[in-house]
Amino acid sequence: MTGAPVSRHVTVEPDGTIEVRVGKVEIGQGIVTALSQIAADTLGVPPERIRMLPASTRYGPNEGFTAGSLSIATSGPALRAACAQARALFVAEAARRWEVDPGKITVRDGRLSYGDLTTSYGELAGSVDLGVPVDPDATAGAPAEPTGQIGRSLPRLDLPAKVAGRPAYLHDLRLPGQLFGRVLRPPSPGARLLRYGASRLDPQVTVVRDGSFLGVVAADEAGAARALALLRDTAEWDERDTLPDENDLHAYLRSGPHQTIETPTVGEPPATGRRLRARYGRPFIAHASMAPSCAAARWDDDGTISVWTHSQGIHPLRTAIADSLGLEESRVHVDHVDGAGCYGHNAADDAAFDAVLLARAVPGRPVLVQWTRQDELTWAPFGSAMSADVSATLDEATGRVTSWEYELWSQGHAGRPGFAGAPGLLAGAYLEDPLDLPAAADPPLERGGGSLRNAVPIYAFPHRRVTGHRLLETPIRSSALRSLGAFMNVFAIESFMDELAGAAGADPLEFRLAHLTDDRARAVLERAAEAAGWGTPPPFEDGGRGIGFAQYKNAGAYCAVVADVEAGRRIRARRLTIAVDVGRVVNPDGVRNQIEGGAVQATSWTLKERVRFDRRRITSGDWESYPILRFSETPHVTVDIVEHPGTPSVGAGEAAQGPTAAALANAVADALDGVRVRDLPLTPEAVIDAING
């Protein structure tokens, strides 16, 4: 962010209101509230003086994607530096006026004081130029005057409008002259449009066709929906089988071609010991947001394009739209508006490009495009299916692991706009002059990895070898879904740790602690176990208890989960007891919300969710064919925060995914006297197969 002006982050109004812009966006995780606390703390003002403005490519800083549980870790320091410099500039102006040493001026509750002399940010606003570049080291010289804003559970800024039902979402956006659009998706990924009939359409409806991209623009939502239904009835498509065998994903993922990545090997394999092996897998998983994606766009008279979106990366989306249309980036403006909860790369970017393509047909008029539930469940990028082989050697004398080998197969986990070297927008692949829609790539390991995220165990093993294989040709579109590969990798690692503990005749908790040298990791495990009553049986029939643990990305939050499950006629998660260490806590309630939400979502993934398809089409296009956890099935969740205030803050949003899956799987195995399901989801049918297998 060096070189960006302070004014891209902070502006001060004459009434003392401080407007703050960040490059990260609110997607239901409460990040805007936490960042407002950082701004208030650094500037020395009450939180109510801070007004957080939506992210914008026109006015705000470019901070890439809101992803990877990095907002507090990356945007927090950037915002603190900008606010510290803004504060210093206002202090300098007050010192100039009063002819005093700036170091003797105090700032409290928005007032700058020296003895009996006082002023405020608002009173000085017209005299302070914030158009100077941000100094990343500005916080080094900032006075240490704690304001008490950090570590408080302030109420979420985004919730009042949402709870009250006020127009808070992009879906409610109404712009002057607005029209409404819908896009007719092909019946299958490999389909191409042959012909369609438009004779029965209202003459006021605009039909937009470009190759196999087909959409309508109408005066209202009902008219757009009617027109889309008529087009669907008349459209003829050329279809063919392009999808793999849903029931043999292990073979599909291993079929290649692949990119192979070897992590650094540690030590030499032992000559003796007891060798154990297992194979684990997960299916494709959908985002399954409660509301489908939405976007609006307008081609303005001056040749610019304005876009309103709930994308996680408005600046990369801007670049992708410009590249797709052969335009200068400066002609595209993107503003963030709250949308449905998002867990990675969903269809928000695709909906935005749909809106741009439809709006091109009606210059000067904004077009709002709403996806359908079926669109969302069948066309948004999925979290990739994964397959892993893990083997380990136990020293039979000590019961300790002496060798660990892990080999993973997966599609890529990063197909966001521009990430794989192409715009990566869905509609582009169906245009008359189609744009490349490459297989998803993976972030490099130094940025947390994708397929290999958390594939390297945190445990101290004398010998360790971890290898990943990413498919380079993928007929099913995949991209980032909450925690990327960490969900599957932690599930596999922690499940196998329980299997090894069983083979060694050891308690699963003690077995883990015996292989850990990280004191913070040990503390989190012990805190969760103590809170859950580890060593006692669950207080209900057909019960089982299991534990799962990881440090997200091996560098972020530590999270341990103890799960209590009921495994009778069905499998039900009854209780999740969680301990988490996120370093310095900005907003405790926000941390708990993120961990609770992640754990509940991971419970749904683990027990229920699976994308279904035949050799031609995705078939799980509604809540019946793609079931998610119901409110009545939600476990009781408690979160204990293990605080480390002197350490850097790290994100909480994705820390619970893998540990929850592993804890549930281990609890089910405990309840079933060692019968283990190694392929997710843990359905009753999967349990029966494991018993019979």
Side-chain angles (χ1 to χ4, degrees), residues 368-440:
L368 184 104
V369 173
Q370 172 73 62
W371 275 35
T372 66
R373 167 60 51 208
Q374 183 175 21
D375 289 344
E376 193 76 19
L377 286 175
T378 60
W379 284 97
F382 300 125
S384 175
M386 300 176 71
S387 173
D389 287 346
V390 57
S391 62
T393 302
L394 281 175
D395 184 298
E396 295 190 270
T398 64
R400 297 285 293 272
V401 175
T402 56
S403 174
W404 178 279
E405 295 189 359
Y406 187 85
E407 193 163 11
L408 172 74
W409 290 264
S410 175
Q411 294 191 174
H413 294 258
R416 296 182 188 274
F419 194 93
L425 300 169
L426 176 64
Y430 293 89
L431 300 177
E432 184 67 31
D433 186 11
L435 301 172
D436 190 23
L437 196 63

Side-chain angles (χ1 to χ4, degrees), residues 106-409:
T106 61
V107 183
R108 291 188 180 91
D109 292 329
R111 302 294 299 179
L112 291 77
S113 303
Y114 174 79
D116 294 333
L117 300 172
T118 65
T119 186
S120 68
Y121 283 108
E123 291 167 359
L124 298 175
S127 303
V128 176
D129 180 13
L130 296 179
V132 299
V134 173
D135 177 5
D137 298 322
T139 54
E145 297 178 22
T147 65
Q149 305 307 330
I150 301 301
R152 295 177 60 195
S153 294
L154 292 187
R156 287 264 296 270
L157 298 175
D158 59 309
L159 289 185
K162 295 173 180 177
V163 172
R166 296 196 294 271
Y169 293 106
L170 176 57
H171 307 64
D172 303 314
L173 186 68
R174 296 298 181 264
L175 299 165
Q178 181 172 299
L179 301 172
F180 297 83
R182 294 288 188 275
V183 173
L184 181 62
R185 296 288 164 215
S188 59
R192 289 296 179 265
L193 180 62
L194 299 175
R195 62 191 65 87
Y196 70 94
S199 60
R200 296 164 54 200
L201 293 179
D202 186 321
Q204 300 302 312
V205 170
T206 300
V207 178
V208 179
R209 180 185 181 182
D210 187 337
S212 292
F213 175 83
L214 183 63
V216 295
V217 179
D220 55 47
E221 290 189 86
R226 286 193 300 269
L228 191 72
L230 289 170
L231 282 186
R232 182 177 289 110
D233 289 343
T234 61
E236 297 179 29
W237 302 85
D238 173 34
E239 287 192 86
R240 57 201 65 195
D241 293 348
T242 60
L243 304 186
D245 182 356
E246 182 198 341
N247 296 313
D248 196 3
L249 291 176
H250 288 289
Y252 159 67
L253 292 166
R254 295 159 192 251
S255 63
H258 295 106
Q259 175 197 22
T260 295
I261 301 175
E262 296 268 3
T263 67
T265 299
V266 173
E268 295 294 330
T272 60
R274 181 183 175 188
R275 191 77 167 170
L276 290 90
R277 294 179 173 83
R279 174 173 292 179
Y280 299 89
R282 84 163 199 186
F284 290 96
I285 303 175
H287 289 265
S289 297
M290 293 304 291
S293 295
C294 185
R298 182 183 65 230
W299 286 67
D300 298 307
D301 293 337
D302 61 1
T304 62
I305 304 171
S306 297
V307 179
W308 294 265
T309 175
H310 55 114
S311 168
Q312 284 183 279
I314 59 172
H315 286 86
L317 174 60
R318 174 196 194 193
T319 301
I321 291 172
D323 289 348
S324 296
L325 300 174
L327 301 175
E328 293 292 327
E329 241 182 69
S330 59
R331 290 182 56 187
V332 182
H333 304 303
V334 182
D335 290 296
H336 185 267
V337 183
D338 283 356
C342 180
Y343 318 106
H345 179 202
N346 66 356
D349 300 298
D350 299 322
F353 193 49
D354 290 345
V356 168
L357 293 175
L358 294 184
R360 182 166 55 178
V362 286
R365 302 286 297 274
V367 177
L368 184 104
V369 173
Q370 172 73 62
W371 275 35
T372 66
R373 167 60 51 208
Q374 183 175 21
D375 289 344
E376 193 76 19
L377 286 175
T378 60
W379 284 97
F382 300 125
S384 175
M386 300 176 71
S387 173
D389 287 346
V390 57
S391 62
T393 302
L394 281 175
D395 184 298
E396 295 190 270
T398 64
R400 297 285 293 272
V401 175
T402 56
S403 174
W404 178 279
E405 295 189 359
Y406 187 85
E407 193 163 11
L408 172 74
W409 290 264

